[in-house]
Amino acid sequence: MSSSFPTGPFGAGNPLDGMWQMMDQLRASFDKRGSSGRMGRGDVRAAVLALLAEQPMHGYQIIREIEERSGGSWKPSAGSVYPTLQLLADEGLVTTEESDGRKTYIMTDLGHAEAAKSQAPWESSHRGEHAGFGALPKAGIDLAQAAAQVGRTGTLEQVQEAVGVLEDARRRLYAILAQG
């Protein structure tokens, strides 16, 4: 068990120590499945085009909007967005306007035509973790953190009740898969 976690009312070496290991394994399994937030260069391009087709924006607005629309599963870095914006400007798909020391990117007619050719990555049905599934890892980690909090601070009765809730949730998740 990591020494950074409090031991709660049950003391060190209790059966709840396994919960910490389980949380670490859960977090690691989601990380391995692609929840790192990284997508390909074409995805950044498509996302930027989709957003600028709606309205002019500056770079950090684009980053925040992509993160919001992807349900938090993808937050591109400035190091991927700004070069993409420069490339789009070089291709004549966007122009820039400077105000208050910030460059605002504005879609050209050619850019609107290009944006119409593709879907934004958050709308694409072939992108599992980036098309609505990004919320699942977050929900799983949030659930594990809540369970850990009960384990750290709850009474024996509260812990037993929480175990029942988690067992029921597991059964219900498998029932969802059985429907498909």
Side-chain angles (χ1 to χ4, degrees), residues 82-154:
Y82 283 102
T84 300
L85 287 166
Q86 183 60 54
L87 179 64
L88 295 174
D90 291 347
E91 294 174 358
L93 302 178
V94 300
T95 61
T96 60
E97 186 177 286
E98 193 156 337
S99 64
D100 298 327
R102 287 193 165 190
K103 278 187 182 179
T104 299
Y105 296 85
I106 303 161
M107 185 76 74
T108 65
D109 290 340
L110 187 59
H112 280 286
E114 183 70 20
K117 294 179 187 176
S118 64
Q119 272 189 317
W122 51 84
E123 296 171 352
S124 178
S125 61
H126 71 280
R127 288 233 176 260
E129 71 263 21
H130 296 289
F133 294 114
L136 184 61
K138 181 182 182 325
I141 290 169
D142 289 349
L143 178 64
Q145 288 172 336
Q149 181 69 31
V150 172
R152 282 193 307 267
T153 62

Side-chain angles (χ1 to χ4, degrees), residues 10 16 19 22 142-171:
F10 301 99
L16 295 175
M19 187 176 346
M22 179 192 67
D142 289 349
L143 178 64
Q145 288 172 336
Q149 181 69 31
V150 172
R152 282 193 307 267
T153 62
T155 65
L156 181 59
E157 292 80 21
Q158 289 170 324
V159 169
Q160 289 171 340
E161 185 178 348
V163 167
V165 168
L166 292 174
E167 288 173 349
D168 183 54
R170 179 185 49 79
R171 282 190 295 273

